[in-house]
């Protein structure tokens, strides 16, 4: 049965969204503390720049002269899509909408994976790590639950794939790395009950070719 054929109650079933929250919540377990340090560092850099009133820009040497270097963004050009009917056009527009909603979340997961790993290395033992995770959990629920509740069933499954695209690791692999194999198996089994899989991989040259095209255009501001 296709996602569009399922009743709205099924697509918006709360436990399904809980799976996606669980994945994000665990990956973002140290994001609060890391963000705090990042904001402080950024503030210090801005203060230093204001005091010196210095503006930096890239440069290069061309025929003996030093000139500013400006990197122009890549422009993607694809063959125009020929839709057979209005249904195909509607499906494409839906994909564009879903990507714009889900892609930012997947990028937040990627940043959080890096930040979390680095921050966990500074903690002395497993007890300290678990204590920190519990302390931050409440704030994460307040921050991300409202956003994830708005996801449809299809957007939730797309999120799992885009997490793999951004991190080069499936949701299952990430949960296993941070929380252990037992919880990874539990969440995978729970997701499978509702037609999803945390082991789903992103295939930009196969079934996800159109999704990859949309992502490149969205990231580049062309769509």
């Amino acid at each position: 049965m296709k996602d569009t054929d399922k009743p709205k109650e099924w697509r918006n079933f709360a436990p399904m969204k809980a799976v996606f929250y669980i994945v994000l919540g665990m990956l973002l377990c140290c994001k609060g503390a890391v963000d705090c340090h990042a904001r402080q560092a950024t503030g210090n850099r801005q203060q230093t720049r204001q005091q010196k009133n210095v503006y930096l820009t890239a440069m290069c040497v061309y025929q003996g002269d030093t000139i500013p270097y400006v990197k122009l963004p890549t422009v993607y050009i694809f063959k125009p899509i020929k839709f057979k009917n209005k249904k195909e056009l509607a499906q494409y527009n839906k994909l564009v909408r879903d990507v714009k909603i889900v892609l930012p979340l997947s990028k937040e997961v990627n940043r959080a994976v890096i930040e979390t790993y680095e921050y966990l290395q500074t903690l002395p033992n497993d007890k300290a790590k678990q204590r920190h995770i519990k302390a931050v959990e409440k704030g994460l629920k307040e921050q991300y639950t409202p956003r994830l509740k708005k996801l449809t069933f299809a957007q939730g499954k797309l999120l799992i794939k885009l997490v793999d695209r951004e991190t080069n690791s499936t949701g299952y692999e990430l949960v296993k790395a941070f929380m252990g194999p037992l919880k990874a198996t539990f969440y995978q089994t729970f997701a499978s009950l509702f037609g999803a899989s945390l082991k789903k991989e992103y295939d930009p040259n196969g079934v996800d070719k159109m999704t990859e095209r949309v992502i490149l255009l969205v990231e580049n501001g062309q769509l």
Side-chain angles (χ1 to χ4, degrees):
M1 182 181 293
K2 298 180 180 178
D3 296 340
T4 53
D5 296 331
K6 296 175 181 177
K8 184 177 181 180
E9 292 77 7
W10 176 273
R11 299 198 305 272
N12 295 329
F13 201 48
M16 190 62 226
K17 299 194 185 74
V19 175
F20 309 129
Y21 162 70
I22 289 168
V23 175
L24 282 176
M26 289 183 296
L27 298 179
L28 296 171
C29 57
C30 297
K31 185 174 175 58
V34 176
D35 282 350
C36 180
H37 295 308
R39 287 194 297 270
Q40 183 178 1
T42 301
N44 292 338
R45 288 196 297 269
Q46 290 176 345
Q47 184 177 4
T48 301
R49 289 179 180 177
Q50 289 176 355
Q51 291 174 350
K52 294 182 178 181
N53 196 28
V54 175
Y55 298 93
L56 302 178
T57 184
M59 63 180 184
C60 65
V61 177
Y62 178 72
Q63 296 182 353
D65 292 331
T66 301
I67 59 177
Y69 170 76
V70 179
K71 184 177 180 180
L72 297 177
T74 301
V75 176
Y76 295 99
I77 301 176
F78 294 100
K79 184 179 180 180
I81 304 174
K82 294 182 179 180
F83 300 104
K84 295 179 181 180
N85 47 52
K86 291 183 178 180
K87 182 178 180 181
E88 286 192 355
L89 175 60
Q91 290 175 340
Y92 176 78
N93 290 335
K94 180 179 181 298
L95 176 61
V96 173
R97 182 178 69 251
D98 289 348
V99 165
K100 289 183 177 181
I101 292 173
V102 174
L103 185 61
L105 282 171
S106 67
K107 291 186 178 297
E108 288 181 32
V109 171
N110 185 44
R111 289 194 297 268
V113 168
I114 298 172
E115 293 171 353
T116 298
Y117 176 79
E118 293 177 348
Y119 189 79
L120 286 177
Q121 304 312 304
T122 67
L123 300 179
N125 50 52
D126 291 340
K127 186 176 181 179
K129 295 175 183 178
Q130 293 300 321
R131 188 186 306 117
H132 181 75
I133 290 174
K134 291 181 179 180
V136 178
E137 184 178 3
K138 181 179 179 181
L140 291 173
K141 287 182 179 180
E142 295 176 354
Q143 180 179 358
Y144 285 96
T145 298
R147 294 170 64 183
L148 293 176
K149 280 185 176 180
K150 296 179 181 179
L151 295 182
T152 65
F153 185 86
Q155 289 167 356
K157 292 202 296 183
L158 179 61
L159 173 59
I160 291 176
K161 280 197 171 186
L162 295 195
V163 165
D164 180 53
R165 178 185 186 270
E166 295 297 324
T167 66
N168 291 319
S169 299
T170 64
Y172 178 85
E173 292 169 338
L174 292 172
V175 175
K176 182 178 179 180
F178 282 91
M179 303 299 291
L182 291 179
K183 286 193 175 181
T185 300
F186 170 78
Y187 293 132
Q188 167 60 17
T189 302
F190 185 57
S192 65
L193 294 175
F194 303 97
S197 174
L198 299 181
K199 296 182 179 181
K200 205 72 173 180
E201 296 182 354
Y202 186 74
D203 184 9
N205 298 315
V207 295
D208 301 309
K209 187 175 182 179
M210 182 59 69
T211 302
E212 181 67 14
R213 169 175 173 161
V214 171
I215 289 176
L216 292 175
L217 293 176
V218 169
E219 288 180 327
N220 209 41
Q222 294 177 241
L223 191 60

